Amino acid sequence: GRPPGLGIVLAGADPASEIYVRNKLASASAAGCRADLHRLDASASVADALAVVARLNDDDAVDGILVQSPLPKAMGHDAEQRVFDTVRPDKDVDGFHPENVGKLVQKRAALVACTPSGVMQLLAREGITLAGRHAVVIGRSDIVGKPMALLLLHADATVTVCHSRTPDVAAMAREADIVVAAVGRAGYLTPAFVKPGATVIDVGINRVTDRSLAEALFGEGHPRRRQFAEKGSVVVGDVHPDVDAVAGALTPVPGGVGPLTIAMLLHNTVVAAEQRTR
Ligand code: GUN
């Protein structure tokens, strides 16, 4: 009798977050959801953020709540944890609440973090076998790396998680049938990290404004180099363009994992709405 409702909280004016939130709102509206943006100043306190979340928790027209990360630094180092902990677990469309994370660990989650579940959809719909294969996840964040590793494990892959203290990430990654790069560094994953024919998933979204880096990534005459010349920046993933020649399959940036993240947010919003009206 009513559309699923999504409440998005955006604190501050992080340029990347502005773009992500704009895309989330537009996609939710286009899919027939009710989507509202709740803005807070960069100078807002954690108490302000908690108050907005409490209001959305109690609002019956809101099925899903998303607090865009990162929160402003001024809110303090534990702000995100406190705010995510306050979101009602049945409205937690990001899957960041400890109750939903715990259920994910036990393979019984209804609401799973959007980016990793988008990657799983991408792999499934491309017919990429996971059972019995070796997946290497590079990055151990709560938003991507950790839930990604759990989902791949639940799909019967053998999973290795690499991070900043792993001595030789390239050697580890070269053993993998599936590599997921979620490190947040433009062009980090070079061909030296990739076994020929491996599936490579690029989770990174990095805006490059440094000319020499852009030119190192994209050779003379490459269309992306022209794009840099026109706009002064270019968006690139964590995967170096040269990996294209080595990988069996590779997700593009932009246009790969990003749109799937939003699709899974809408999926979670519908799941939350159905769960609450049942
Ligand atoms: N910032 C980057 N990715 C995400 C995400 O999936 N959810 C939220 N809330 N913030 C993010």
Side-chain angles (χ1 to χ4, degrees):
R2 63 174 179 80
L6 174 64
I8 298 184
V9 182
L10 176 59
D14 177 71
S17 291
E18 291 278 352
I19 295 169
Y20 299 151
V21 165
R22 199 193 312 140
N23 289 338
K24 288 173 182 179
L25 288 166
S27 299
S29 301
C33 294
R34 214 197 80 187
D36 300 316
L37 177 60
H38 305 266
R39 276 188 179 274
L40 288 168
D41 285 343
S43 61
S45 65
V46 184
D48 296 329
L50 294 175
V52 175
V53 170
R55 189 152 48 78
L56 295 172
N57 278 344
D58 293 339
D59 185 340
D60 269 340
V62 173
D63 301 292
I65 302 170
L66 180 151
V67 181
Q68 187 65 25
S69 170
L71 289 172
K73 283 211 166 61
M75 282 194 187
H77 72 279
D78 62 347
E80 257 173 40
Q81 195 89 71
R82 288 177 63 192
V83 171
F84 294 152
D85 284 2
T86 306
V87 172
R88 255 174 64 162
D90 62 340
K91 294 190 177 188
D92 171 35
V93 288
D94 260 326
F96 293 167
H97 189 283
E99 184 176 313
N100 289 320
V101 175
K103 284 182 171 169
L104 172 62
V105 172
Q106 296 182 341
K107 203 180 176 179
R108 58 190 181 104
L111 297 171
V112 180
C114 302
T115 298
S117 47
V119 171
M120 295 306 284
Q121 285 292 328
L122 219 150
L123 291 167
R125 286 161 192 253
E126 290 296 318
I128 290 165
T129 305
L130 296 173
R133 303 183 80 194
H134 186 194
V136 167
V137 178
I138 311 175
R140 55 172 158 178
S141 70
D142 290 345
I143 292 182
V144 182
K146 285 185 220 168
M148 186 77 255
L150 287 163
L151 290 172
L152 290 164
L153 180 63
H154 295 161
D156 300 322
T158 302
V159 182
T160 303
V161 181
C162 296
H163 50 79
S164 52
R165 302 295 292 269
T166 303
D168 191 347
V169 179
M172 287 279 185
R174 271 199 308 275
E175 299 290 316
D177 304 302
I178 298 110
V179 184
V180 181
V183 288
R185 277 170 58 188
Y188 163 86
L189 197 99
T190 60
F193 290 67
V194 181
K195 176 169 77 179
T199 297
V200 179
I201 305 289
D202 191 350
V203 178
I205 303 179
N206 312 290
R207 184 171 293 280
V208 171
T209 53
D210 175 23
R211 177 176 304 276
S212 56
L213 178 54
E215 289 179 357
L217 291 170
F218 303 106
E220 196 77 48
H222 196 289
R224 303 293 292 279
R225 202 190 254 216
R226 213 173 319 120
Q227 198 183 337
F228 182 89
E230 284 163 15
K231 293 179 59 183
S233 71
V234 65
V235 172
V236 297
D238 292 346
V239 176
H240 194 285
D242 292 352
V243 167
D244 198 13
V246 185
L250 168 64
T251 64
V253 176
V257 172
L260 267 293
T261 294
I262 294 186
M264 298 320 291
L265 169 64
L266 302 182
H267 170 82
N268 282 349
T269 304
V270 172
V271 168
E274 287 177 344
Q275 190 168 262
R276 278 179 6 92
T277 46
R278 205 181 290 139

